[in-house]
Amino acid sequence: MDNNPAPNKSCCVTVEDVEDEDGSSSWHYLEPQLDAGWALHNGETKFERCRRYQEEEGEETWSPFEDAEEWDLAQWLVKNLGQNWTDEFLKLPITQNRTKVSFHNNRLFLQRVDQLPHGPDWSCRKVTMCGNHDDENGVPLQEDVELWSRDPLECVKELIGNPLFKEDIAYSPARAYADAAGQHRVINEMWMADWWGETQVRNLRGNNTKMD
């Protein structure tokens, strides 16, 4: 049985330049799976809901900051300074007397940042780890450690609903080939494997599983 059949000639085969892990590029010939990956309905993302709320409340897009310039400064602080350096910068006389931002220290700044839309919440639980050393009674030593995690389903929703990733996420499966004849299958992404396509087709045909 041929596990790597050639692409169906009736399908539209496209060519994509893919960047490998080492930074080099290689060409893949993509055959879309036409019976999977349909758009069932349109929905409102978290970012769209946030923007709609701002418009209804008469808030500007840079809220909770005072204006666009303060928004730009906040972005610069997050990208370039740690918390200690941010606190020192905000407490400089020239910052407080001339720049006059609405947050005067790092604590107030982080309170503003926390008001922005954010990803899934973190949860913490204690896990008992058993070591490879014994105590004086010959019992393996144990230690309670913190395990921080987030709901993977909520993380997927966050990624799919984030407009920044719109052009970088594959929403429907496809078969990838290293050659135009479709003799050499390439599977190095989840959406290139058979499972994704088979699962989407099965769900569309009446399976009770729902993928939101």
Side-chain angles (χ1 to χ4, degrees), residues 29-47:
Y29 297 83
L30 301 180
E31 174 199 353
Q33 186 167 340
L34 303 181
D35 57 347
W38 299 348
L40 300 179
H41 57 80
N42 293 325
E44 189 178 43
T45 67
K46 182 174 66 175
F47 287 87

Side-chain angles (χ1 to χ4, degrees), residues 13-199:
V13 178
T14 60
V15 181
E16 181 180 77
D17 186 15
V18 179
E19 183 174 327
D20 297 328
E21 292 183 357
D22 60 1
S24 61
S25 296
S26 59
W27 293 97
H28 287 168
Y29 297 83
L30 301 180
E31 174 199 353
Q33 186 167 340
L34 303 181
D35 57 347
W38 299 348
L40 300 179
H41 57 80
N42 293 325
E44 189 178 43
T45 67
K46 182 174 66 175
F47 287 87
E48 292 169 336
R49 289 194 299 271
C50 178
R51 182 57 190 143
R52 176 168 55 79
Y53 173 80
Q54 287 180 320
E55 293 174 345
E56 292 173 351
E57 297 297 318
E59 297 180 355
E60 298 291 349
T61 55
W62 49 73
S63 176
F65 297 97
E66 294 295 323
D67 50 37
E69 291 183 347
E70 190 171 280
W71 172 273
D72 290 338
L73 175 61
Q75 282 189 307
W76 183 85
L77 291 173
V78 170
K79 291 180 179 179
N80 296 280
L81 299 184
Q83 295 193 34
N84 291 335
W85 284 108
T86 296
D87 200 54
E88 289 195 28
F89 172 81
L90 294 175
K91 290 180 178 179
L92 289 173
I94 192 172
T95 304
Q96 296 193 357
N97 298 330
R98 297 188 185 182
T99 307
K100 295 182 179 180
V101 292
S102 60
F103 40 89
H104 306 302
N105 54 51
N106 186 63
R107 182 179 62 84
L108 295 175
F109 172 61
L110 293 180
Q111 287 179 354
R112 295 292 180 88
V113 173
D114 288 341
Q115 296 178 40
L116 296 171
H118 56 81
D121 294 330
W122 288 93
S123 62
C124 177
R125 62 188 179 93
K126 292 291 183 68
V127 178
T128 301
M129 303 294 294
C130 184
N132 56 1
H133 293 281
D134 299 338
D135 61 15
E136 62 276 9
N137 298 318
V139 179
L141 293 172
Q142 296 182 342
E143 180 182 3
D144 290 335
V145 297
E146 293 182 347
L147 176 62
W148 289 85
S149 63
R150 293 196 279 191
D151 186 334
L153 181 57
E154 293 301 319
C155 291
V156 171
K157 289 181 179 180
E158 166 73 13
L159 293 173
I160 293 178
N162 192 325
L164 289 176
F165 305 137
K166 179 180 179 181
E167 303 301 327
D168 299 310
I169 294 181
Y171 298 93
S172 59
R175 288 192 172 193
Y177 299 89
D179 61 309
Q183 299 300 316
H184 301 284
R185 182 92 178 266
V186 177
I187 301 178
N188 54 18
E189 297 287 350
M190 184 176 178
W191 56 273
M192 296 179 182
D194 294 329
W195 174 87
W196 189 335
E198 294 169 355
T199 301

